[in-house]
Amino acid sequence: MSDNSFHPPLRTLMGPGPSDVPSRILEALGWPTIGHLDPAFVGLMDEIKSLLQYAFQTESQLTMPISAPGSAGMEACFVNLVEPGDKVIVCQNGVFGGRMKENVERCGGQAVMVMDDWGKPVDPGKVGDALKANSNAKLVAFVHAETSTGAQSDAKTLVELAHKHNCLAIVDAVTSLGGTELRVDEWGIDAVYSGTQKCLSCVPGISPVSFSERAQHRIANRGHRVQSWFLDMNLIMAYWGGDAKRAYHHTAPVNAMYALHESLLMLREEGLENAWQRHYRNHLALRAGLEAMGLTFIVDEAARLPQLNAVTIPAGADDAEVRTRLLEEHHLEIGAGLGELAGKVWRIGLMGYASRVENITRCLGALDAVLSDMGAGINSGAALPAAEQVLSGS
């Protein structure tokens, strides 16, 4: 055991999250800690709620950050909306749809699975068939941006289907918030959760959530008490609610909330739609370089996430060795495949602050160097010129 303070290495984070955190947000973490019921902090809470409403594009008053990572945001949505015996249509096209199933079952609900191939978006036709075959279903749950594959599903259409069959819709927006189009009110999403460590480029450990009026009515009229004390929205709202007087619920991670506030300010300063466009524009440059190198995407272009690029590992490349060398020699992190894609793909993130031109060129140059040295089957030297052509607009 070392007696020295920990000093982490400086990395460029281009995996599936966490993403690079800019110095402005890191500096906010170091501001003086105040009490979680201090009037100044209560004022900050109101600002965070308002900024999250902007990021989600919602006017819902039940919009707040859960003091725990995205997985807790997911659980908050399910434990508040699923009661024992409820039938829930769960869409799975990657790892995180499977976690939704786990949540439904642990709430005592019945998960009716709609399965799609990994790398494909959720098929609305299959969802419609499942809803017709299960007329007593209460909810539809799906992942908007599947982090394990880089596939994006048509949230607007899927939510419309749910409502057509008198179901509420729970949406995983962990990787989409701040990086790709997400319009909670316009699309009618009833419960949505995300994470701070993806396209918001904040530190990990907080999960923004939002519940529609329909969802709030369901929560207020439950027949069973919410099984989780910590995630019970009826209790949390006494702390995060709109009244000036706040009831103690838990000790919020005060300094992490400073950081979230700063990241949301940066998003508003850039403009939400400008952030979406930046992610897409940088994706096009990265894509050009990767394809010129000879790598192929596993997701069809129409459903491809700009902020999470899943590409096949070329012949002659050792998955783990490449990622290790990128980390040790170039201080660059990319992600491995998960589940049935393990050992078959790399997941290259362009999320939030990491979605920058210098990161694109750094990643392509490092990949080219490592793969060429390894003797992998790539077009050495082709990536950077292809990306630069896109970036220059020529």
Side-chain angles (χ1 to χ4, degrees), residues 118-121 149-152 283 287 291 297-305 310:
W118 288 41
K120 299 291 184 185
T149 67
Q152 179 170 268
H283 158 74
R287 181 191 73 180
E291 290 182 339
F297 284 75
I298 66 165
V299 179
D300 293 338
E301 187 171 354
R304 196 176 295 162
L305 277 172

Side-chain angles (χ1 to χ4, degrees), residues 1 9 39 59 69 74 78-79 118 136 159 163 200 248 262 266 271 286 314 325 333 344 367 379:
M1 181 182 294
E59 295 182 2
M74 171 172 59
F78 283 93
V79 297
W118 288 41
N136 58 343
V159 172
H163 291 169
L200 296 182
Y248 168 69
E262 205 66 25
M266 291 175 70
L286 179 67
R325 288 186 59 181
E333 178 181 277
K344 299 177 182 177
L367 259 180
N379 302 316

Side-chain angles (χ1 to χ4, degrees), residues 4-290:
N4 299 321
S5 299
F6 177 67
H7 296 282
L10 185 61
R11 309 286 199 204
T12 297
L13 301 178
M14 296 185 68
S19 61
D20 285 346
V21 180
S23 58
R24 176 175 163 181
I25 294 173
L26 292 175
E27 287 167 6
L29 283 168
W31 295 337
T33 303
I34 58 177
H36 59 286
L37 291 171
D38 187 301
F41 186 68
V42 170
L44 181 73
M45 291 167 71
D46 287 336
E47 288 190 25
I48 290 173
K49 285 181 62 176
S50 178
L51 289 165
L52 279 176
Q53 287 172 323
Y54 170 71
F56 276 127
Q57 291 290 282
T58 181
E59 295 182 2
S60 169
Q61 290 302 303
L62 191 47
T63 301
M64 69 187 73
I66 299 290
S67 300
S71 295
M74 171 172 59
E75 190 157 342
C77 290
F78 283 93
V79 297
N80 281 278
L81 291 173
V82 180
E83 296 194 65
D86 283 353
K87 188 177 285 187
V88 183
I89 308 297
V90 177
C91 308
Q92 182 172 5
N93 60 336
V95 166
F96 295 96
R99 293 191 180 183
M100 287 180 154
K101 175 177 183 287
E102 284 280 330
N103 274 265
V104 170
E105 293 174 346
R106 286 169 185 259
C107 292
Q110 177 187 351
V112 177
M113 301 305 295
V114 175
M115 307 297 291
D116 281 291
D117 292 342
W118 288 41
K120 299 291 184 185
V122 173
D123 183 344
K126 291 181 181 179
V127 176
D129 290 343
L131 285 164
K132 290 173 187 173
N134 297 274
S135 59
N136 58 343
K138 299 288 184 69
L139 296 147
V140 173
F142 65 90
V143 179
H144 182 214
E146 180 52 77
T147 316
S148 62
T149 67
Q152 179 170 268
S153 294
D154 184 348
K156 183 174 184 290
T157 296
L158 294 171
V159 172
E160 286 173 354
L161 269 172
H163 291 169
K164 181 181 176 182
H165 292 268
N166 299 312
C167 288
L168 299 185
I170 297 177
V171 179
D172 178 326
V174 169
T175 297
S176 53
L177 181 65
T180 194
E181 186 177 14
L182 175 66
R183 302 184 186 275
V184 169
D185 281 1
E186 184 179 321
W187 296 350
I189 296 171
D190 295 297
V192 61
Y193 58 90
S194 189
T196 50
Q197 77 280 16
K198 307 281 189 175
C199 294
L200 296 182
S201 275
C202 188
V203 292
I206 304 174
S207 179
V209 299
S210 184
F211 294 84
S212 71
E213 288 188 7
R214 286 182 298 268
Q216 292 174 51
H217 179 78
R218 177 77 61 87
I219 295 168
N221 292 278
R222 288 175 59 97
H224 301 78
R225 190 164 59 169
V226 175
Q227 71 181 54
S228 169
W229 179 88
F230 181 68
L231 297 174
D232 185 341
M233 284 297 129
N234 297 298
L235 301 177
I236 294 176
M237 275 305 289
Y239 179 46
W240 274 98
D243 298 333
K245 185 177 180 181
R246 306 296 172 98
Y248 168 69
H249 178 261
H250 68 279
T251 302
V254 171
N255 291 63
M257 291 299 174
Y258 299 162
L260 174 59
H261 181 259
E262 205 66 25
S263 76
L264 292 169
L265 274 181
M266 291 175 70
L267 179 64
R268 191 179 68 180
E269 289 166 6
E270 180 179 11
L272 190 56
E273 294 192 0
N274 291 335
W276 298 341
Q277 291 166 5
R278 169 172 55 85
H279 282 87
Y280 181 65
R281 186 171 60 247
N282 288 337
H283 158 74
L284 293 179
L286 179 67
R287 181 191 73 180
L290 292 171

